[in-house]
Amino acid sequence: MKLLIIKIETSHEVEDALNIFSNDVLHCLGTETRKRSDFEHAGWKSDSTMIKLDEINDLPEDLQFLAYFDSDQDKEKLIEEYKQKLSELKSYGLKIGKAEISTSYIKDEDWNTVWQKFYHPIDFSRHLAIVPEWEEYQPAFKDQKLIKLDPGLAFGTGSHETTQLALIGLEQTLIRPIKVCDVGTGSGILAIASSFLGASSVLATDISDEAITAANENISLNDLTNIKLKKTSLLDNVQGKYDIIVANILAEILLDLIPQLNKHLYEGGQVIFSGIDCSQAAKIKKALSENGFQVVLSMQSGRWIGLIIERKDNKNEL
């Protein structure tokens, strides 16, 4: 069996948007990215890594985005869908780069092994490590929790800056056994991390059937029983309140979530936002203020922003 690859030469500013569009709207089999910055930054490592950019074939000008589909998918229709999406993203003021789209095919077995070549354990912090299910990993501290993931499910592996900012936010705020809601759970990594960091219970929501399936499989890999999954848009049809609400999603979607926060957040509760491009941060902070919230901690990795948020009248009861 062969797989269809849609390859787009574009900008890192639209990486997350294209991931969500490919998975949630077009229902691709998986995505992959190649960033020029990854090759450039490799030479900054404090080891013997040396990168000669002029010797690398097909080096992206900024970002190369690849989406994988069954070979019987309508190639021309998919190309048109991506053209329309790129045009929409450009209208938001986001850079889309060359926006050149090309296609090719690979054998299915090549795709099945690609994850094991490129994904390895992430020794994230003193408390957490993220480990592909096939890897053996021995933590330096016996009480470091290992989040086992199947990266082949392609819904977030912990390597992206936005996920890591959200994890830092959880380590900062989850200081006793409390209730957590992970909005837009994707692979389930933030829900799993919440459980391992001591949450008493976790609700994870997502609008995508594929994300719910992926999260369920990853939760099972980690033998956790205190995480519940709910298919819904953001906090629609969610009952009850939570001590922490965490969301690692695009700024445009966070703007829709903000008006829902107050109803679902306990007094003294905290909110963690990630997935915010630095160009969108002011817009998010303005919407938070208009809805009675304030930012108490801002974190940045590259051009990505993570926020820890409280009500303006919060008495720091959490």
Side-chain angles (χ1 to χ4, degrees):
M1 176 183 173
K2 291 195 299 185
L3 297 178
L4 167 65
I5 307 174
I6 304 289
K7 182 169 73 173
I8 307 173
E9 296 289 340
T10 185
S11 161
H12 65 275
E13 290 191 13
V14 297
E15 177 185 358
D16 286 348
L18 288 176
N19 261 313
I20 292 173
F21 179 68
S22 300
N23 286 294
D24 294 358
V25 179
L26 300 181
H27 306 299
C28 70
L29 299 176
T31 61
E32 184 182 359
T33 57
R34 296 175 73 242
K35 300 179 189 176
R36 186 182 186 91
S37 60
D38 289 342
F39 295 95
E40 293 172 338
H41 295 172
W44 302 355
K45 294 181 178 179
S46 57
D47 57 18
S48 59
T49 303
M50 294 184 67
I51 297 293
K52 295 184 178 180
L53 298 183
D54 58 355
E55 295 181 359
I56 299 174
N57 294 327
D58 197 25
L59 182 69
E61 184 174 298
D62 183 352
L63 177 79
Q64 215 173 63
F65 180 87
L66 298 93
Y68 295 81
F69 297 88
D70 284 326
S71 59
D72 59 359
Q73 290 284 313
D74 187 332
K75 180 173 64 176
E76 298 305 321
K77 182 179 179 182
L78 287 171
I79 291 173
E80 185 58 33
E81 294 266 18
Y82 277 112
K83 285 181 177 178
Q84 291 178 13
K85 186 62 180 179
L86 288 166
S87 178
E88 176 191 341
L89 294 171
K90 185 178 181 180
S91 73
Y92 297 150
L94 297 171
K95 295 178 182 177
I96 62 170
K98 290 182 176 179
E100 293 178 352
I101 303 175
S102 60
T103 63
S104 60
Y105 292 89
I106 60 167
K107 292 182 180 179
D108 193 11
E109 55 264 28
D110 295 334
W111 169 254
N112 290 336
T113 60
V114 71
W115 302 108
Q116 297 192 23
K117 289 171 56 181
F118 295 107
Y119 287 96
H120 303 288
I122 299 170
D123 198 7
F124 174 72
S125 72
R126 164 67 180 80
H127 304 288
L128 295 173
I130 303 160
V131 183
E133 63 170 328
W134 59 80
E135 290 272 5
E136 291 293 330
Y137 173 81
Q138 294 297 323
F141 293 94
K142 291 182 179 179
D143 60 344
Q144 186 185 41
K145 302 296 185 181
L146 307 186
I147 301 175
K148 297 177 184 177
L149 286 185
D150 177 1
L153 297 171
F155 278 93
T157 63
S159 61
H160 198 274
E161 294 98 324
T162 59
T163 307
Q164 296 192 8
L165 288 170
L167 289 170
I168 291 170
L170 285 170
E171 289 199 343
Q172 175 75 20
T173 57
L174 224 169
I175 56 176
R176 57 187 176 87
I178 49 180
K179 294 174 63 178
V180 176
C181 182
D182 174 20
V183 181
T185 193
S187 67
I189 186 172
L190 297 180
I192 294 167
S194 298
S195 179
F196 278 145
L197 289 171
S200 58
S201 64
V202 184
L203 175 69
T205 76
D206 207 292
I207 196 171
S208 163
D209 287 323
E210 290 81 3
I212 294 294
T213 298
N216 188 55
E217 291 187 24
N218 285 322
I219 291 165
S220 296
L221 273 178
N222 290 275
D223 299 320
L224 297 172
T225 59
N226 68 335
I227 302 175
K228 293 184 178 179
L229 291 166
K230 183 178 180 65
K231 183 190 174 187
T232 188
S233 175
L234 303 178
L235 291 172
D236 291 349
N237 304 313
V238 171
Q239 303 298 317
K241 295 187 177 183
Y242 297 86
D243 300 285
I244 294 174
I245 297 173
V246 57
N248 176 26
I249 46 185
L250 292 175
E252 291 83 1
I253 304 174
L254 290 174
L255 289 171
D256 293 332
L257 175 62
I258 288 170
Q260 300 179 336
L261 293 174
N262 189 57
K263 178 182 177 182
H264 294 286
L265 191 67
Y266 278 126
E267 184 177 353
Q270 293 177 298
V271 178
I272 302 164
F273 276 0
S274 191
I276 306 168
D277 185 275
C278 59
S279 64
Q280 303 289 314
K283 187 187 302 184
I284 294 294
K285 291 176 182 178
K286 181 174 183 290
L288 285 166
S289 181
E290 291 171 349
N291 282 269
F293 291 91
Q294 61 184 350
V295 174
V296 295
L297 180 64
S298 180
M299 306 168 285
Q300 183 165 357
S301 179
R303 65 179 297 111
W304 298 104
I305 304 293
L307 304 174
I308 297 179
I309 300 152
E310 297 177 351
R311 290 189 181 93
K312 290 181 179 179
D313 60 354
N314 199 342
K315 296 181 175 60
N316 296 316
E317 295 180 12
L318 184 62

